[in-house]
Amino acid sequence: MDEISEFPALRPADEGYDAERTGFQLHGPHRPDLIVTAESPDHVRAAVAHARAHGLPVAVQATGHGVGVTADGGVLISTRRMTDVRIDPQARSAYIAAGATWGQVIEAAAPHGLAPLSGSAPSVGAIGYTLGGGLGALSRQYGYAADHVTALDVVTADGEPRHVTAESDPDLFWALRGGRDNFGIVTGMEIGLFPHPEIYGGTLAFAAEHVDAVLAGYLEWTRTLPDELMSAVSMMVHPDVPFVEEEFRGRYVLQVKLAYTGPADEGERLVAPLRALAPTLADDLRVLPFTDSHTVFKDPPFPHGYVGDGLLIDAALDVTTLQTVAKQAGPEAPTMTVLQLRHLGGAQARTPAVPNAVAGRDAGYLLSVVLPVDGVPAETVTEVLGGIRRTMAPLTTGRALNFVFGGLSGAELSEAYAPADLERLRSLKGSYDPENTFRLGQPLALTPGADAPARG
Ligand SMILES: Cc1cc2nc3c(=O)[nH]c(=O)nc-3n(C[C@H](O)[C@H](O)[C@H](O)COP(=O)(O)OP(=O)(O)OC[C@H]3O[C@@H](n4cnc5c(N)ncnc54)[C@H](O)[C@@H]3O)c2cc1C
């Protein structure tokens, strides 16, 4: 059989090509020569075998939230049709196919009173998120999503499907969880679920004049918390769009986002010091079903173009530095800048039972910076990001790959992994993908110090 007839595909001139390559991220989408619209693991296997036979690079896209180095030519495997989710309530586990979103997993798990280690946006792909680490509402209590993967079905560069577990192939299992798509295309994964049908949480919003005081109080407060409480503080000038609450439109507002898995009255007691910091513009803390956990974060649900970075920050972060960076990203910034400081620590800081390649366990906070870029000059984006990176440099301990939107250069990649882990990843890359078929996304197979073709 002609190998191309082994999978459904679209070429640039075909109707549907543009819709298929376009995902959530509208800034610089993939432009492959061939999109494999995979419906099954067999299609993925045949696509990888085809690419290898023709010496073509392979990229993979589920939702397009985390496009890194884009395919310019080559093969893009689109997994958006592979959305099966199977829950095993007794084992408290889920088997998730390559294209399923967290929203689909949350909805499938909820009738059993179970929740996954999902993140802030239900539209994010469960597998892309997990292979990059995965931080969400329950992560301080249980660790990264990658820490609770029990099996991965993956097609490696030789076109072979493998069922990979800690026992079957410890090296590959370690590398896949943190190494993203450098080692293969995951067709399905098995993860643990947790008994949290409800959480206590929501947001406290504060007006611009209280930002300095709230940041100072928030930082102190994070140093006193149990692992069951996750929080983040985010600041932005809100755009005037229907998605934003009417009273926030056009205003610079700070929001503290909270999720707590203990009893609501204990949650109330824990957040009392925050409520006492300043009068709130809004306060919707309540008991909510886990299916509404995304309302704590209120990420924009519509596709747009953005660039961003995820800086892992030392636990010794001081108030002056935090207030300085908030000003850089605030109303005076030359373009809209969304700054979010997530409190890390807890189980995220501990090595999981089966170690993986996810880095940054020693960081106290994650500072994520996102700039919508539609119509914004590239120099302005570079200036704002550069200024924030310089302010944070003395306290930056690494990079969180999931929060890097635009790809890292070779030199920057060495900040995304511990040195020994990066060496191990590169050595395993040489064994599992000697021809560097998987060289898009966030490629590992670079000479240290060399520049990756990062997108602007
Ligand atoms: C609005 C928004 C909110 C977010 N919130 C969070 C959050 O709370 N916590 C967090 O940790 N991250 C978060 N992220 C980051 C997100 O987890 C990453 O961008 C992730 O890579 C997205 O995966 P995806 O499949 O949705 O995106 P895609 O762009 O489709 O894929 C991104 C990358 O994931 C890898 N990948 C995807 N599918 C496969 C596969 N089958 N096999 C191998 N590799 C694969 C590839 O490297 C691919 O390039 C958020 C991103 C956005 C835009």
Side-chain angles (χ1 to χ4, degrees), residues 99-375:
T101 62
W102 274 130
Q104 290 164 324
V105 181
I106 290 169
E107 289 298 331
H112 308 285
L114 297 171
L117 298 184
S118 49
S120 56
S123 52
V124 164
I127 285 181
Y129 166 102
T130 302
L131 299 182
L135 285 173
L138 305 179
S139 306
R140 272 178 44 82
Q141 187 169 359
Y142 297 109
Y144 285 92
D147 300 347
H148 294 276
V149 176
T150 44
L152 288 162
D153 287 315
V154 59
V155 177
T156 41
D158 52 9
E160 286 304 313
R162 299 169 192 241
H163 183 70
V164 183
T165 64
E167 292 74 35
S168 75
D169 196 336
D171 279 339
L172 186 57
F173 192 59
W174 174 84
L176 281 162
R177 295 167 305 135
R180 299 186 89 196
D181 59 346
N182 273 282
F183 296 90
I185 307 302
V186 172
T187 56
M189 75 174 176
E190 186 183 83
I191 58 163
L193 298 172
F194 299 87
H196 294 294
E198 292 178 338
I199 54 173
Y200 168 83
T203 56
L204 297 176
F206 297 91
E209 62 268 30
H210 301 303
V211 165
D212 277 352
V214 174
L215 286 178
Y218 174 76
L219 206 54
E220 275 308 303
W221 177 78
T222 57
R223 289 166 179 151
T224 65
L225 302 176
D227 292 357
E228 291 77 14
L229 179 48
M230 182 285 327
S231 70
V233 60
S234 85
M235 292 143 277
M236 67 189 283
V237 179
H238 286 74
D240 189 358
V241 294
F243 162 71
V244 169
E245 292 94 323
E246 215 170 332
E247 67 273 25
F248 292 178
R249 291 181 199 159
R251 290 184 74 178
Y252 181 60
V253 176
L254 176 152
Q255 297 193 54
V256 187
K257 305 175 176 198
L258 297 143
Y260 177 59
T261 56
D265 54 351
E266 181 59 10
E268 291 275 310
R269 195 191 63 74
L270 286 164
V271 300
L274 286 181
R275 281 183 165 138
L277 289 173
T280 53
L281 276 182
D283 176 344
D284 70 356
L285 296 184
R286 68 219 186 267
V287 174
L288 63 155
F290 195 82
T291 45
D292 286 347
S293 55
H294 61 280
T295 62
V296 167
F297 296 95
K298 303 189 185 105
D299 282 345
F302 46 84
H304 57 286
Y306 48 93
V307 163
D309 206 346
L311 305 175
L312 291 164
I313 304 296
D314 197 287
L317 173 63
D318 58 282
V319 179
T320 311
T321 307
L322 183 56
Q323 290 169 341
T324 305
V325 80
K327 276 194 186 63
Q328 279 175 288
E332 309 297 315
T335 186
M336 182 181 161
T337 306
V338 185
L339 200 68
Q340 180 163 280
L341 186 78
R342 288 199 194 205
H343 180 213
L344 304 182
Q348 288 160 167
R350 300 192 270 277
T351 305
V354 181
N356 53 43
V358 177
R361 294 190 188 270
D362 54 348
Y365 302 91
L366 164 70
L367 186 75
S368 119
V369 192
V370 177
L371 287 88
V373 293
D374 300 329

Side-chain angles (χ1 to χ4, degrees), residues 6-186:
E6 286 187 50
F7 47 75
L10 292 167
R11 292 193 182 275
D14 292 337
E15 200 184 326
Y17 170 89
D18 277 334
E20 192 72 33
R21 75 190 174 97
T22 308
F24 188 82
Q25 164 68 284
L26 300 183
H27 179 57
H30 294 287
R31 277 188 187 76
D33 289 334
L34 188 74
I35 306 179
V36 177
T37 54
E39 288 160 18
S40 67
D42 261 357
H43 290 158
V44 174
R45 185 200 50 70
V48 173
H50 169 84
R52 188 165 188 234
H54 297 271
L56 300 169
V58 174
V60 56
Q61 177 160 286
T63 72
H65 279 75
V67 182
V69 175
T70 47
D72 188 10
V75 176
L76 174 66
I77 300 178
S78 171
T79 61
R80 60 171 73 160
R81 290 165 190 76
M82 297 170 64
T83 55
D84 278 358
V85 178
R86 295 195 305 267
I87 307 294
D88 182 338
Q90 269 71 47
R92 288 189 181 167
S93 69
Y95 185 84
I96 303 167
T101 62
W102 274 130
Q104 290 164 324
V105 181
I106 290 169
E107 289 298 331
H112 308 285
L114 297 171
L117 298 184
S118 49
S120 56
S123 52
V124 164
I127 285 181
Y129 166 102
T130 302
L131 299 182
L135 285 173
L138 305 179
S139 306
R140 272 178 44 82
Q141 187 169 359
Y142 297 109
Y144 285 92
D147 300 347
H148 294 276
V149 176
T150 44
L152 288 162
D153 287 315
V154 59
V155 177
T156 41
D158 52 9
E160 286 304 313
R162 299 169 192 241
H163 183 70
V164 183
T165 64
E167 292 74 35
S168 75
D169 196 336
D171 279 339
L172 186 57
F173 192 59
W174 174 84
L176 281 162
R177 295 167 305 135
R180 299 186 89 196
D181 59 346
N182 273 282
F183 296 90
I185 307 302
V186 172

